[in-house]
Amino acid sequence: MDKLKVRIKHIFTSDNNKNSILQQVCDLLRKEVACYNWVGFYFVNKNKKELKLAQFSGKPTEHIIIPFGKGICGQVAISNENFVVQDVSEQDNYISCGIEVKSEIVIPIFKNGQNIGQIDIDSHKMKPFTKKDTELLEFVCDLVSNLF
Ligand code: SME
């Protein structure tokens, strides 16, 4: 396991407050991965069919609530699939959080087969994401799932 994964795992085993754990994960990822400029967790409100922003690290966003289907995040709430956007300018259904954001990756979090939320990462770099990012973030999402 690489060093960053060890540090992430350590957060989950050394703390028992869910909010604090999620905040530390956001902060660590943003600090340690150069191309991660904004890192946040959105969670599903099934009744309202919307996502709500929880912990995040980076510039505050006005997109606290995202309806299912809207933007990259809202699409993942419906598709239940990873969404890797190497160039946001190619996306029609995209909610901009700033002109500086060039790419985005969203990985869903599953609990007992249900899509309960997602990790969302914005980057100021074009085409920064590789299989390693997907794999790292799936690792994070599996750990987050165990908190619920
Ligand atoms: N760009 C996202 C909106 C959320 S922000 O990136 C924080 C989207 O299109 O869903």
Side-chain angles (χ1 to χ4, degrees):
M1 211 189 303
D2 66 43
K3 279 184 190 161
L4 182 55
K5 281 188 180 171
V6 172
R7 290 178 67 188
I8 291 166
K9 181 104 195 172
H10 179 73
I11 294 172
F12 286 84
T13 52
S14 62
D15 194 337
N16 52 25
N17 179 291
K18 186 175 79 186
N19 294 347
S20 154
I21 291 171
L22 294 177
Q23 186 63 55
Q24 288 181 69
V25 170
C26 291
D27 293 340
L28 182 70
L29 285 172
R30 190 166 78 97
K31 184 163 164 268
E32 293 302 322
V33 186
C35 65
Y36 293 2
N37 298 103
W38 189 94
V39 179
F41 289 100
Y42 282 93
F43 290 99
V44 164
N45 182 327
K46 241 185 150 187
N47 294 329
K48 291 188 171 174
K49 291 195 166 58
E50 63 187 27
L51 294 161
K52 188 173 182 201
L53 181 62
Q55 288 71 27
F56 69 95
S57 182
K59 189 178 107 178
T61 173
E62 60 188 16
H63 304 294
I64 311 289
I65 302 288
I66 299 179
F68 283 10
K70 301 277 184 209
I72 307 304
C73 296
Q75 291 178 76
V76 170
I78 292 173
S79 72
N80 305 318
E81 283 178 8
N82 296 345
F83 202 158
V84 184
V85 179
Q86 302 285 12
D87 176 359
V88 294
S89 74
E90 291 175 354
Q91 296 293 321
D92 293 330
N93 189 357
Y94 166 69
I95 302 166
S96 175
C97 283
I99 189 85
E100 66 281 8
V101 178
K102 300 286 188 284
S103 56
E104 175 163 6
I105 182 168
V106 178
I107 307 291
I109 300 164
F110 297 101
K111 182 77 187 179
N112 301 326
Q114 297 284 311
N115 184 340
I116 61 161
Q118 53 191 241
I119 190 167
D120 175 24
I121 294 178
D122 287 348
S123 177
H124 298 173
K125 230 180 129 184
M126 193 89 90
K127 297 189 179 136
F129 304 119
T130 69
K131 256 187 164 178
K132 278 205 145 193
D133 296 285
T134 304
E135 203 254 326
L136 170 67
L137 299 172
E138 285 177 346
F139 170 83
V140 171
C141 288
D142 281 346
L143 291 170
V144 172
S145 169
N146 293 330
L147 297 173
F148 288 83

mmCIF file of all heavy atoms in Angstrom, residues 26-48:
data_model
loop_
_atom_site.group_PDB
_atom_site.id
_atom_site.type_symbol
_atom_site.label_atom_id
_atom_site.label_comp_id
_atom_site.label_asym_id
_atom_site.label_seq_id
_atom_site.Cartn_x
_atom_site.Cartn_y
_atom_site.Cartn_z
ATOM 1 N N CYS A 26 -10.410 15.162 3.510
ATOM 2 C CA CYS A 26 -10.420 16.245 2.512
ATOM 3 C C CYS A 26 -9.119 17.044 2.580
ATOM 4 O O CYS A 26 -8.477 17.307 1.551
ATOM 5 C CB CYS A 26 -11.584 17.203 2.752
ATOM 6 S SG CYS A 26 -13.202 16.510 2.418
ATOM 7 N N ASP A 27 -8.747 17.423 3.789
ATOM 8 C CA ASP A 27 -7.550 18.262 3.965
ATOM 9 C C ASP A 27 -6.285 17.535 3.513
ATOM 10 O O ASP A 27 -5.432 18.122 2.839
ATOM 11 C CB ASP A 27 -7.404 18.680 5.437
ATOM 12 C CG ASP A 27 -8.513 19.626 5.884
ATOM 13 O OD1 ASP A 27 -9.153 20.257 5.018
ATOM 14 O OD2 ASP A 27 -8.744 19.733 7.105
ATOM 15 N N LEU A 28 -6.206 16.258 3.886
ATOM 16 C CA LEU A 28 -5.000 15.495 3.528
ATOM 17 C C LEU A 28 -4.879 15.322 2.009
ATOM 18 O O LEU A 28 -3.803 15.541 1.433
ATOM 19 C CB LEU A 28 -5.021 14.115 4.211
ATOM 20 C CG LEU A 28 -3.794 13.241 3.951
ATOM 21 C CD1 LEU A 28 -2.557 13.799 4.651
ATOM 22 C CD2 LEU A 28 -4.027 11.801 4.404
ATOM 23 N N LEU A 29 -5.978 14.956 1.373
ATOM 24 C CA LEU A 29 -5.927 14.742 -0.076
ATOM 25 C C LEU A 29 -5.548 16.034 -0.803
ATOM 26 O O LEU A 29 -4.742 16.034 -1.721
ATOM 27 C CB LEU A 29 -7.271 14.221 -0.594
ATOM 28 C CG LEU A 29 -7.578 12.753 -0.295
ATOM 29 C CD1 LEU A 29 -9.016 12.427 -0.678
ATOM 30 C CD2 LEU A 29 -6.622 11.814 -1.042
ATOM 31 N N ARG A 30 -6.131 17.133 -0.363
ATOM 32 C CA ARG A 30 -5.843 18.404 -1.051
ATOM 33 C C ARG A 30 -4.391 18.832 -0.848
ATOM 34 O O ARG A 30 -3.744 19.370 -1.749
ATOM 35 C CB ARG A 30 -6.778 19.510 -0.575
ATOM 36 C CG ARG A 30 -6.670 20.768 -1.438
ATOM 37 C CD ARG A 30 -7.812 21.696 -1.188
ATOM 38 N NE ARG A 30 -7.629 22.427 0.042
ATOM 39 C CZ ARG A 30 -7.138 23.661 0.121
ATOM 40 N NH1 ARG A 30 -6.790 24.306 -0.975
ATOM 41 N NH2 ARG A 30 -7.018 24.248 1.279
ATOM 42 N N LYS A 31 -3.898 18.545 0.343
ATOM 43 C CA LYS A 31 -2.519 18.939 0.655
ATOM 44 C C LYS A 31 -1.494 18.053 -0.074
ATOM 45 O O LYS A 31 -0.476 18.546 -0.555
ATOM 46 C CB LYS A 31 -2.315 18.810 2.167
ATOM 47 C CG LYS A 31 -0.987 19.258 2.705
ATOM 48 C CD LYS A 31 -1.048 19.464 4.221
ATOM 49 C CE LYS A 31 0.325 19.533 4.818
ATOM 50 N NZ LYS A 31 0.801 18.200 5.278
ATOM 51 N N GLU A 32 -1.782 16.773 -0.158
ATOM 52 C CA GLU A 32 -0.777 15.816 -0.642
ATOM 53 C C GLU A 32 -0.811 15.552 -2.147
ATOM 54 O O GLU A 32 0.176 15.092 -2.707
ATOM 55 C CB GLU A 32 -0.916 14.483 0.105
ATOM 56 C CG GLU A 32 -0.569 14.574 1.580
ATOM 57 C CD GLU A 32 0.853 15.081 1.828
ATOM 58 O OE1 GLU A 32 1.755 14.708 1.060
ATOM 59 O OE2 GLU A 32 1.038 15.867 2.773
ATOM 60 N N VAL A 33 -1.947 15.788 -2.764
ATOM 61 C CA VAL A 33 -2.006 15.527 -4.214
ATOM 62 C C VAL A 33 -2.053 16.889 -4.921
ATOM 63 O O VAL A 33 -3.029 17.630 -4.803
ATOM 64 C CB VAL A 33 -3.222 14.658 -4.596
ATOM 65 C CG1 VAL A 33 -3.158 14.308 -6.076
ATOM 66 C CG2 VAL A 33 -3.286 13.390 -3.729
ATOM 67 N N ALA A 34 -0.972 17.177 -5.617
ATOM 68 C CA ALA A 34 -0.779 18.527 -6.174
ATOM 69 C C ALA A 34 -1.939 18.994 -7.046
ATOM 70 O O ALA A 34 -2.310 20.157 -7.014
ATOM 71 C CB ALA A 34 0.520 18.559 -6.960
ATOM 72 N N CYS A 35 -2.505 18.086 -7.815
ATOM 73 C CA CYS A 35 -3.556 18.510 -8.754
ATOM 74 C C CYS A 35 -4.949 18.527 -8.125
ATOM 75 O O CYS A 35 -5.919 18.848 -8.809
ATOM 76 C CB CYS A 35 -3.522 17.651 -10.013
ATOM 77 S SG CYS A 35 -3.919 15.938 -9.725
ATOM 78 N N TYR A 36 -5.079 18.189 -6.850
ATOM 79 C CA TYR A 36 -6.398 18.255 -6.200
ATOM 80 C C TYR A 36 -6.544 19.640 -5.556
ATOM 81 O O TYR A 36 -5.964 19.922 -4.514
ATOM 82 C CB TYR A 36 -6.540 17.184 -5.103
ATOM 83 C CG TYR A 36 -6.566 15.741 -5.557
ATOM 84 C CD1 TYR A 36 -6.429 15.380 -6.900
ATOM 85 C CD2 TYR A 36 -6.737 14.718 -4.631
ATOM 86 C CE1 TYR A 36 -6.451 14.052 -7.298
ATOM 87 C CE2 TYR A 36 -6.764 13.375 -5.024
ATOM 88 C CZ TYR A 36 -6.616 13.055 -6.347
ATOM 89 O OH TYR A 36 -6.637 11.743 -6.734
ATOM 90 N N ASN A 37 -7.325 20.496 -6.164
ATOM 91 C CA ASN A 37 -7.474 21.865 -5.664
ATOM 92 C C ASN A 37 -8.716 22.070 -4.796
ATOM 93 O O ASN A 37 -8.805 23.038 -4.046
ATOM 94 C CB ASN A 37 -7.487 22.851 -6.827
ATOM 95 C CG ASN A 37 -6.195 22.815 -7.601
ATOM 96 O OD1 ASN A 37 -6.114 22.236 -8.686
ATOM 97 N ND2 ASN A 37 -5.147 23.382 -7.038
ATOM 98 N N TRP A 38 -9.674 21.190 -4.964
ATOM 99 C CA TRP A 38 -10.881 21.234 -4.111
ATOM 100 C C TRP A 38 -11.306 19.784 -3.905
ATOM 101 O O TRP A 38 -11.395 19.011 -4.872
ATOM 102 C CB TRP A 38 -11.988 22.036 -4.808
ATOM 103 C CG TRP A 38 -13.185 22.324 -3.940
ATOM 104 C CD1 TRP A 38 -13.405 23.444 -3.190
ATOM 105 C CD2 TRP A 38 -14.337 21.478 -3.734
ATOM 106 N NE1 TRP A 38 -14.615 23.346 -2.528
ATOM 107 C CE2 TRP A 38 -15.206 22.156 -2.853
ATOM 108 C CE3 TRP A 38 -14.708 20.209 -4.210
ATOM 109 C CZ2 TRP A 38 -16.428 21.620 -2.431
ATOM 110 C CZ3 TRP A 38 -15.918 19.670 -3.797
ATOM 111 C CH2 TRP A 38 -16.770 20.378 -2.916
ATOM 112 N N VAL A 39 -11.533 19.427 -2.654
ATOM 113 C CA VAL A 39 -11.929 18.056 -2.322
ATOM 114 C C VAL A 39 -13.137 18.131 -1.392
ATOM 115 O O VAL A 39 -13.090 18.824 -0.370
ATOM 116 C CB VAL A 39 -10.790 17.301 -1.590
ATOM 117 C CG1 VAL A 39 -11.229 15.881 -1.233
ATOM 118 C CG2 VAL A 39 -9.517 17.266 -2.425
ATOM 119 N N GLY A 40 -14.217 17.457 -1.750
ATOM 120 C CA GLY A 40 -15.394 17.515 -0.887
ATOM 121 C C GLY A 40 -16.241 16.259 -0.955
ATOM 122 O O GLY A 40 -16.127 15.456 -1.892
ATOM 123 N N PHE A 41 -17.095 16.111 0.058
ATOM 124 C CA PHE A 41 -18.053 15.007 0.093
ATOM 125 C C PHE A 41 -19.468 15.559 -0.041
ATOM 126 O O PHE A 41 -19.839 16.505 0.671
ATOM 127 C CB PHE A 41 -17.954 14.233 1.416
ATOM 128 C CG PHE A 41 -16.701 13.415 1.548
ATOM 129 C CD1 PHE A 41 -15.624 13.884 2.303
ATOM 130 C CD2 PHE A 41 -16.582 12.185 0.908
ATOM 131 C CE1 PHE A 41 -14.457 13.132 2.421
ATOM 132 C CE2 PHE A 41 -15.422 11.423 1.016
ATOM 133 C CZ PHE A 41 -14.357 11.902 1.776
ATOM 134 N N TYR A 42 -20.218 14.978 -0.946
ATOM 135 C CA TYR A 42 -21.653 15.243 -1.041
ATOM 136 C C TYR A 42 -22.382 13.976 -0.610
ATOM 137 O O TYR A 42 -21.955 12.859 -0.966
ATOM 138 C CB TYR A 42 -22.063 15.561 -2.487
ATOM 139 C CG TYR A 42 -21.735 16.965 -2.945
ATOM 140 C CD1 TYR A 42 -20.534 17.238 -3.594
ATOM 141 C CD2 TYR A 42 -22.629 18.017 -2.757
ATOM 142 C CE1 TYR A 42 -20.227 18.525 -4.037
ATOM 143 C CE2 TYR A 42 -22.336 19.307 -3.194
ATOM 144 C CZ TYR A 42 -21.144 19.548 -3.834
ATOM 145 O OH TYR A 42 -20.853 20.822 -4.276
ATOM 146 N N PHE A 43 -23.500 14.149 0.120
ATOM 147 C CA PHE A 43 -24.291 12.980 0.509
ATOM 148 C C PHE A 43 -25.719 13.106 -0.011
ATOM 149 O O PHE A 43 -26.242 14.212 -0.205
ATOM 150 C CB PHE A 43 -24.242 12.774 2.029
ATOM 151 C CG PHE A 43 -22.875 12.309 2.478
ATOM 152 C CD1 PHE A 43 -21.952 13.202 3.014
ATOM 153 C CD2 PHE A 43 -22.488 10.984 2.283
ATOM 154 C CE1 PHE A 43 -20.676 12.786 3.380
ATOM 155 C CE2 PHE A 43 -21.209 10.557 2.643
ATOM 156 C CZ PHE A 43 -20.311 11.457 3.192
ATOM 157 N N VAL A 44 -26.305 11.934 -0.247
ATOM 158 C CA VAL A 44 -27.620 11.832 -0.881
ATOM 159 C C VAL A 44 -28.744 12.086 0.117
ATOM 160 O O VAL A 44 -28.737 11.542 1.222
ATOM 161 C CB VAL A 44 -27.771 10.405 -1.484
ATOM 162 C CG1 VAL A 44 -29.220 10.081 -1.799
ATOM 163 C CG2 VAL A 44 -26.875 10.238 -2.714
ATOM 164 N N ASN A 45 -29.712 12.913 -0.290
ATOM 165 C CA ASN A 45 -30.998 12.994 0.405
ATOM 166 C C ASN A 45 -32.012 12.354 -0.548
ATOM 167 O O ASN A 45 -32.432 12.971 -1.537
ATOM 168 C CB ASN A 45 -31.368 14.453 0.706
ATOM 169 C CG ASN A 45 -32.674 14.556 1.471
ATOM 170 O OD1 ASN A 45 -33.589 13.758 1.287
ATOM 171 N ND2 ASN A 45 -32.762 15.552 2.332
ATOM 172 N N LYS A 46 -32.345 11.104 -0.246
ATOM 173 C CA LYS A 46 -33.162 10.309 -1.171
ATOM 174 C C LYS A 46 -34.554 10.907 -1.387
ATOM 175 O O LYS A 46 -35.061 10.925 -2.509
ATOM 176 C CB LYS A 46 -33.306 8.885 -0.609
ATOM 177 C CG LYS A 46 -32.729 7.827 -1.531
ATOM 178 C CD LYS A 46 -32.989 6.438 -1.004
ATOM 179 C CE LYS A 46 -33.099 5.454 -2.139
ATOM 180 N NZ LYS A 46 -33.505 4.121 -1.683
ATOM 181 N N ASN A 47 -35.181 11.361 -0.306
ATOM 182 C CA ASN A 47 -36.538 11.908 -0.406
ATOM 183 C C ASN A 47 -36.586 13.153 -1.278
ATOM 184 O O ASN A 47 -37.495 13.325 -2.082
ATOM 185 C CB ASN A 47 -37.098 12.233 0.983
ATOM 186 C CG ASN A 47 -37.292 10.974 1.795
ATOM 187 O OD1 ASN A 47 -37.579 9.903 1.233
ATOM 188 N ND2 ASN A 47 -37.116 11.074 3.096
ATOM 189 N N LYS A 48 -35.591 14.019 -1.089
ATOM 190 C CA LYS A 48 -35.573 15.271 -1.861
ATOM 191 C C LYS A 48 -34.920 15.104 -3.235
ATOM 192 O O LYS A 48 -34.889 16.040 -4.027
ATOM 193 C CB LYS A 48 -34.826 16.354 -1.071
ATOM 194 C CG LYS A 48 -35.552 16.820 0.181
ATOM 195 C CD LYS A 48 -34.812 18.020 0.777
ATOM 196 C CE LYS A 48 -35.593 18.665 1.897
ATOM 197 N NZ LYS A 48 -34.819 19.737 2.560
#
